[in-house]
Amino acid sequence: MNIKINPQNDKHFADGKPTLSASELTVGYKERKKSVNILFERVKFSIYPGDFVCLLGPNGSGKSTLLRIISGIQKPIDGEILIDGKNIAAYDSRELAKKISIVLTEIFDINNASVYSIVSMGRYPHNNWLGILRREDFEIVDNMLKVTDLLQYKDKNFFELSDGIRQKVMIARALAQDTPLILLDEPTAYLDAPSRIEIMHMLRHLAKQFRKSIIVSSHDLDLALQAADKIMLITKEKNIEIDTPEDLVLNGHFETVFNTKEVKFHPQKGIFKKKAEKKITLKIVGSKTEIFWTERALERIGISIRPDKDALGLLQIVKQNNEILWQLNIGTETFTFYSIGELLDYLSRLNFS
Amino acid sequence: MQFSKRNKYIIAALFVLFLISFSFDVLLGPVKIPLNDVLKIVFGSSAPNSTWVTIITEFRIPKAITAVLAGSALSVVGLMMQTFFRNPLADPFVLGVSSGASLGVAFVVLTAGSFGINLYFLGDIVSNLSITIAACIGASIILLLITIVAKKISSNITLLILGLMIGYVISSLENFLKYFSSPESLQGYVIWGMGNLGNVVWNDLYFLIPVVFAGLVFSFLLSKQLNLLLLGEKYARSMGVKTSEIRTMIIIVGGVLGGVITAFCGPIAFIGIAVPHLTKNLLNEFDHKILIPAVALAGGVLTLICDIISQLPGSGQTIPINTVTSLVGAPVVIWIIVKQRKVKHSLAME
């Protein structure tokens, strides 16, 4: 059977109606002397229920501006944004609060508030003027604490928790707000690596579980490539590409957007690296893990690894009685090192001219 | 509304303290009246001494009620301002709202004389009303001004300095007005400026009670939005708070409550900053549904206690209420600044 898929076709296979769709969207801001700085021109995109999308782009490309536009805080110069099929400008603020929830970068202080009470604030757009929780509100708040793995913290003072947990509380609150669209503006910027990874994967899982559209802006390209279903990439041509991360890598968009003189994206490895100034090359023999870390260390001081015989020397990594030895053969001489540190010390003192 | 068991006891204790301090405020004063006779007068049985009756019913009871109204109103305005400006140091006195009200009063009292209008001739109601309205307008204008400037200021201390500067500008404007005013109106203004809960008579209270009560109820209606503002303006907006609307409401409620109290009692310092902090620390609570009534109650209690102290019980002398509230309130401000610095140091390792 021959299946033909037209890439121009905007149809989404899983769900019919988009949560968010933008058409002919032109965004910019006025500079001082009345000239207008255009960030995007006549862009068009749609986000569907269940999509976990990472918004990526170099600094100053307009990630935050785009999120402000999508959340209705800022108005576009031209074009329209539909949320659940209705123009965003037609919503009043309370209605809009039932459609879009946000999580911000900055982690704020609020004293004397328990995790439970912060998450239950998410129910405010839904309940009465005093914000009294009804039975269904309690159920939703409990459930959101459960899915974000926060039940153990529910009576803790928000003020006393770590930044990572606090940001999870804000996410639970956004979930309790029960909106089809959740926007997160660099929510993991201040967090350590384990919290960053945990939160991104949690968001992906939540998007699937609750059929929500989640858009996260991020600086963390490696993590976005790992976790996102789709990447919303702001290109140098003031356009927005939405595609599967791997497709954006293979079609070269990723490299064009992020490569600079000094730093280059390596499509083979999926990571960014500073361009190596190649001084010498070595051939390396050993087991996988040891080679990986040795190679990283050598690249940092400008030595690259080549499997062929043109290399300057041979580096053998040998395991002996629970010890790892690095044996370097250059010409007729052999040197033995007992750690990568010693090896680096020696190599960086050599004068390769 | 969820009160923890602990907070129920604290609120009950505050209420008992309220009753006690109210009673003491009526009982104590420069003129010694025995407890028996006070009880007789209050409960309307045969009065032993007609001067004492006047002192109790026409002076001490209205004064105690005024203390409660002033304390509650200023404390609740302080609480709202602290939440809205996200600044623990905000309060009507510190940020110059009371000064704005004073300027309104100064404008009416001092210029009336130079136009040949004798306020006393116009009668109490007209003069009181014009003074009150002028105070409310003055307070609202300063609140509006601070709201505009506060958007551009992130530091708490800077906002405090701004309030101080507003105070200076206003006092120089007042001096300017004083310079050109008649000696009689000047004297009236100076006496007003010392702050006195005892100037309020029953006729004033018929106006003051409903206005303050309405202001407090209105503040309570804002409690949900105020809770959301604790998360910052962006989060609040994303959860449906119309920030411009709530700003207007806070300016109106704050301006009216601050203005009315200042017009009737003169400027009263630091109650608005001290009471919300003491209450928050006592209750460990953030929810304005609980905080607003609790702060109103605690504000009443603290002002009553300050008033009792200002009678200097047993001495036959009184000192201005402002002196006592400053003695209580200023250390609270220092405590807040020191506490904040500590937090900053531990986080940023400056």
Side-chain angles (χ1 to χ4, degrees), chain A residues 58-70:
Chain A
N59 282 334
S61 60
K63 293 193 292 290
S64 297
T65 311
L66 184 62
L67 286 181
R68 276 205 298 279
I69 298 266
I70 296 173

Side-chain angles (χ1 to χ4, degrees), chain A residues 93 104 124 128 130 177, chain B residues 224 227 235 238 242 286 289:
Chain A
S93 60
L104 303 166
Y124 277 15
N128 68 5
L130 256 183
Q177 205 173 328
Chain B
K224 177 171 156 178
N227 283 351
Y235 274 125
S238 82
K242 290 175 183 156
F286 76 99
K289 288 196 295 290

Side-chain angles (χ1 to χ4, degrees), chain A residues 7 106 112 157 261 294:
Chain A
E106 59 256 42
N112 300 332
N157 187 348
K261 266 185 193 164
T294 310

Side-chain angles (χ1 to χ4, degrees), chain B residues 78-159:
Chain B
L79 174 70
M80 283 200 293
M81 287 174 72
Q82 283 160 23
T83 301
F84 183 73
F85 292 116
R86 293 187 62 68
N87 188 329
L89 297 171
D91 109 307
F93 185 80
V94 172
L95 291 190
V97 175
S98 303
S99 311
S102 307
L103 185 64
V105 174
F107 190 77
V108 171
V109 175
L110 298 177
T111 55
S114 58
F115 287 120
I117 305 165
N118 186 337
L119 281 174
Y120 293 99
F121 179 73
L122 282 175
D124 268 358
I125 294 173
V126 178
S127 67
N128 277 348
L129 198 65
S130 51
I131 288 174
T132 308
I133 291 172
C136 291
I137 292 173
S140 300
I141 288 174
I142 298 299
L143 251 179
L144 182 69
L145 194 74
I146 293 167
T147 315
I148 294 165
V149 182
K151 284 201 136 190
K152 292 171 185 158
I153 292 177
S154 56
S155 150
N156 294 341
I157 311 294
T158 316
L159 197 67

Side-chain angles (χ1 to χ4, degrees), chain B:
Chain B
M1 237 182 289
Q2 303 131 300
F3 284 102
S4 65
K5 212 173 187 182
R6 178 176 166 273
N7 283 353
K8 272 181 199 159
Y9 288 131
I10 291 175
I11 301 265
L14 265 179
F15 194 73
V16 172
L17 195 59
F18 172 78
L19 295 177
I20 294 172
S21 49
F22 194 94
S23 312
F24 270 95
D25 201 34
V26 173
L27 188 65
L28 300 171
V31 178
K32 267 189 194 159
I33 305 172
L35 176 63
N36 270 346
D37 296 320
V38 173
L39 289 176
K40 274 182 197 160
I41 294 164
V42 170
F43 293 105
S45 53
S46 62
N49 179 330
S50 68
T51 325
W52 288 358
V53 175
T54 315
I55 288 175
I56 297 290
T57 59
E58 297 301 320
F59 186 73
R60 288 195 191 166
I61 290 177
K63 187 174 61 108
I65 294 175
T66 310
V68 174
L69 294 174
S72 306
L74 292 174
S75 307
V76 169
V77 174
L79 174 70
M80 283 200 293
M81 287 174 72
Q82 283 160 23
T83 301
F84 183 73
F85 292 116
R86 293 187 62 68
N87 188 329
L89 297 171
D91 109 307
F93 185 80
V94 172
L95 291 190
V97 175
S98 303
S99 311
S102 307
L103 185 64
V105 174
F107 190 77
V108 171
V109 175
L110 298 177
T111 55
S114 58
F115 287 120
I117 305 165
N118 186 337
L119 281 174
Y120 293 99
F121 179 73
L122 282 175
D124 268 358
I125 294 173
V126 178
S127 67
N128 277 348
L129 198 65
S130 51
I131 288 174
T132 308
I133 291 172
C136 291
I137 292 173
S140 300
I141 288 174
I142 298 299
L143 251 179
L144 182 69
L145 194 74
I146 293 167
T147 315
I148 294 165
V149 182
K151 284 201 136 190
K152 292 171 185 158
I153 292 177
S154 56
S155 150
N156 294 341
I157 311 294
T158 316
L159 197 67
L160 196 70
I161 294 167
L162 177 80
L164 211 64
M165 289 305 129
I166 289 176
Y168 280 128
V169 171
I170 285 176
S171 70
S172 72
L173 287 175
E174 277 173 9
N175 283 337
F176 184 77
L177 284 171
K178 279 180 198 165
Y179 189 78
F180 290 104
S181 63
S182 66
E184 298 80 37
S185 43
L186 186 60
Q187 193 194 5
Y189 182 72
V190 169
I191 292 171
W192 171 86
M194 287 177 179
N196 192 348
L197 300 170
N199 285 343
V200 178
V201 295
W202 277 108
N203 269 338
D204 298 332
L205 284 179
Y206 297 141
F207 169 77
L208 211 50
I209 291 172
V211 169
V212 170
F213 189 72
L216 295 181
V217 169
F218 202 73
S219 311
F220 184 72
L221 298 184
L222 298 178
S223 52
K224 177 171 156 178
Q225 272 105 316
L226 288 167
N227 283 351
L228 289 178
L229 280 172
L230 288 175
L231 305 189
E233 206 175 316
K234 286 180 192 162
Y235 274 125
R237 235 185 302 161
S238 82
M239 288 189 270
V241 175
K242 290 175 183 156
T243 37
S244 58
E245 222 167 70
I246 193 162
R247 183 181 308 132
T248 315
M249 288 188 217
I250 288 177
I251 289 171
I252 292 171
V253 178
V256 167
L257 285 181
V260 164
I261 295 302
T262 311
F264 282 93
C265 313
I268 297 178
F270 295 116
I271 287 288
I273 193 166
V275 173
H277 279 284
L278 297 172
T279 315
K280 282 180 214 167
N281 269 289
L282 201 62
L283 297 179
N284 287 327
E285 184 57 72
F286 76 99
D287 190 345
H288 288 77
K289 288 196 295 290
I290 295 167
L291 276 183
I292 288 179
V295 161
L297 182 62
V301 172
L302 190 66
T303 316
L304 282 169
I305 293 174
C306 287
D307 191 46
I308 295 169
I309 296 172
S310 79
Q311 311 293 328
L312 299 174
S315 74
Q317 302 267 332
T318 55
I319 47 172
I321 178 89
N322 221 342
T323 316
V324 184
T325 57
S326 300
L327 274 176
V328 175
V332 174
V333 178
I334 295 168
W335 167 60
I336 296 163
I337 293 175
V338 171
K339 202 174 70 171
Q340 269 204 328
R341 293 241 105 196
K342 259 191 205 156
V343 172
K344 258 190 192 161
H345 277 283
S346 65
L347 286 176
M349 299 192 293
E350 286 173 75

